[in-house]
C-alpha cells in the first residue's frame, strides 16, 4: 500500500490562487494515475483532476480552465495549481490513486472567501 500526504491548503479570497502538493512514495509511484479529490461537508467526495503515468490530464467540468494538475516523479509529488478560486471550491482536498484507491490521507483544507 501507499500513503499520501497532502499540503498547501489555506484561506484565500475569491479570485486568488493556491498550489496543493501530494507526496506519495515507492518505486511504483511513477506508474500510478493520481487524482485530486475534494469533499465539502454534507457532500460526496468529488474527483477534481487526475494525471496518469505519461502526464495525460483530465479535469472535472467545474474546474476546467482554472486548475492545473502536474507531477514531479523525482519528488514523488503531484501538484494541483488552483487559480481563479471560487467560494464553491471550499472543501477538504485529498489525493489518491484513481484506478485503485489506497488509504486516504488527512487532506488539506481549502477555504475561499467572498
Amino acid at each position: 500500500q501507499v500513503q499520501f500526504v497532502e499540503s498547501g491548503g489555506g484561506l484565500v479570497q475569491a479570485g486568488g490562487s493556491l498550489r496543493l502538493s501530494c507526496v506519495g512514495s515507492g518505486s511504483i509511484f511513477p506508474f500510478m494515475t493520481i487524482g485530486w479529490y475534494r469533499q465539502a461537508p454534507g457532500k460526496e467526495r468529488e474527483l477534481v483532476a487526475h494525471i496518469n503515468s505519461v502526464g495525460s490530464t483530465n479535469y472535472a467540468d467545474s474546474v476546467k480552465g482554472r486548475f492545473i494538475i502536474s507531477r514531479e516523479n523525482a519528488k514523488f509529488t503531484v501538484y494541483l495549481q488552483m487559480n481563479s478560486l471560487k467560494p464553491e471550491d471550499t472543501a477538504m482536498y485529498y489525493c489518491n490513486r484513481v484506478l485503485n484507491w489506497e488509504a486516504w490521507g488527512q487532506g488539506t483544507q481549502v477555504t475561499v472567501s467572498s
Side-chain angles (χ1 to χ4, degrees):
Q1 65 175 20
V2 176
Q3 182 178 358
F4 299 101
V5 179
E6 302 93 345
S7 64
L11 174 63
V12 297
Q13 291 185 333
S17 297
L18 209 57
R19 190 178 78 156
L20 308 184
S21 296
C22 165
V23 179
S25 63
S27 61
I28 67 171
F29 180 85
F31 304 100
M32 293 178 176
T33 296
I34 304 295
W36 278 99
Y37 300 78
R38 67 187 181 189
Q39 187 169 27
K43 297 184 179 180
E44 293 184 351
R45 185 170 15 242
E46 172 191 21
L47 178 61
V48 174
H50 62 271
I51 183 167
N52 72 6
S53 61
V54 296
S56 296
T57 60
N58 200 265
Y59 301 90
D61 288 341
S62 59
V63 306
K64 284 182 179 177
R66 300 190 297 119
F67 291 9
I68 302 171
I69 189 170
S70 62
R71 69 194 301 162
E72 191 170 357
N73 287 332
K75 295 184 177 181
F76 298 96
T77 301
V78 173
Y79 303 99
L80 185 67
Q81 178 67 46
M82 304 184 296
N83 303 312
S84 301
L85 283 162
K86 304 175 181 180
E88 51 262 45
D89 295 318
T90 296
M92 185 72 74
Y93 283 71
Y94 303 87
C95 60
N96 211 325
R97 295 181 68 178
V98 170
L99 301 180
N100 191 2
W101 285 346
E102 303 285 347
W104 295 95
Q106 292 185 327
T108 185
Q109 178 68 40
V110 172
T111 302
V112 184
S113 62
S114 300

